[in-house]
Amino acid sequence: MTDSITVFNRRAVRRHRDRAARGGGEDSDLLFRESAERLLDRLDDVTRSFPLALEFGCRSGEMGKTLRGRSGIDTLVQCDLSEAMAAQAGGMALAADEEALPFTDAVFDLVIGNLSLHWVNDLPGALIQMRRALKPDGLFLAAMFGGDTLIELRQALAEAEIAEEDGLSPRVSPMAEVRDLGGLLQRAGLALPVVDSETLTVMYPDPMALMADLRAMGETNAAVESRKGFTRPATLAAAAARYSDLFATSDGAIPVTFQIITLTGWAPDASQQQPLQPGSATSRLADALDAEEHPLPDKARPT
Amino acid sequence: MSKRTVDPKLLEILVCPLTKGPLRYDSDADELISEQAGLAFPIRDGIPIMLIDEARTVDSDAPSAT
C-alpha cells in the first residue's frame, strides 16, 4: 500500500523526462514554449531586477535561453529532476528534486518554474522549500497544469477501460484546482498570493498523435496506482475511437484542453503592503460615499 | 580530455537536500558529501546530482573511502 500523500511515482517521472531528453522532440515543445512565453510576459511586467534566479523543472534549457539577461538576471541556476535534461540545459545546472531542494535559505531573488509542479506529490512542502530559498521580497512565479487539462482524454480512457477491462485505474494524473492553490501559497508563507488560470485548446490530427506527443514531452502517466505494465492495445484503440466519437470536428481533428494555472507570490518583507488591523479605520465609509448608514438587523443571527 | 568542472558559485549555495546541512566538496572523487546524512552526491560532467536516490551511503568516519 502506498502512503496517502504519494500520488506520483517520482522515479517514473524521472524516467519519462530522461526519455524525453533523449528524444529531443522540437515539435512536442510547442505547449511548453507557449506557456514559457506567457510566464516571461508576467515577469516582464515586474519592474524589478533579479540578479540571482533559480529555474526549477528547467527541461532542456528552452526557457532558460530567454531568461538569461532578462529582468536583470545575472546568474541563472537551473535544476531538473532529470539528470539528462539538466545536462542539456547548459549554464549553472544541477539535478534536484522539487520535493527536496538542495539550496541554502534566502539566496535567490527569483524562483521560477514552467509546467513541472503537477508531478509533485508534496506540493505544500515544495512551495515551503521554494519560499525558504527566496530572499525577503523575492518573487515566486510558476505555471502548472490544472484540473481541466486533458479532460477529453480522461473521459475517453475511462469509458474505454470500463468497456474493455471491467475496471478503472488512474490514467491521467490528478491535478490541482485553482481554489486550493491560493491557500497553498499562503500556507507556504508567500505574501500577496495570486492564482489565475488560462485554458488553451490545441487541435491534434487524431488521438494517437496526442498520445505520441505526450510521450515525447515526458508527460505520460506516473500515478502510483496506475496499472502495472502497458495499456492494452485494445483499450487504447477503444479510447482513441471514443475520443473521436465524442469530440472530433468535421475534418476528424480532435481538440485537447490544457489548463495552465499561474502562481505568483512574494517572500514576506516589511516593505510590502500590510493589511490594517480590523477596526482601525479613522474615517467612516458612509461619509466618504456621502450616504446614510443603516445598522444591520440582528434577526438573521442563529440563536 | 576536457572535463566540465562544477561552478564554485553553485557550490556556495548548495546544501544537503535531506538535512539542509552543509556539504563538503571532495574534488578527488568529484562528490559532495553530507556528513550529517552520511550521503555522497556525485558530480557528473560538472552537474551535481542532488538526488537522494542517486547518492552513495558513506561512513562519516571515513568520508573519502573508495
Side-chain angles (χ1 to χ4, degrees), chain A residues 218-283:
Chain A
E219 293 294 321
T220 39
N221 192 10
V224 170
E225 295 296 337
S226 69
R227 288 203 178 159
K228 300 286 175 272
F230 296 101
T231 309
R232 285 191 216 161
T235 311
L236 266 189
R242 193 81 195 115
Y243 201 128
S244 295
D245 285 353
L246 287 169
F247 305 106
T249 55
S250 53
D251 61 352
I254 53 150
V256 184
T257 300
F258 294 96
Q259 184 190 16
I260 295 176
I261 299 178
T262 310
L263 311 175
T264 315
W266 296 83
D269 186 69
S271 69
Q272 290 160 354
Q273 65 222 53
Q274 307 286 340
L276 294 171
Q277 284 293 325
S280 63
T282 51
S283 51

Side-chain angles (χ1 to χ4, degrees), chain A residues 14 29-30 56 59 63 66 94 121 138 155 162 167 212 244 256:
Chain A
R14 221 172 103 199
D29 288 338
L30 181 82
F56 62 91
R59 301 183 70 80
M63 187 166 83
T66 18
L94 68 148
N121 285 307
Q155 187 183 341
I162 289 168
S244 295
V256 184

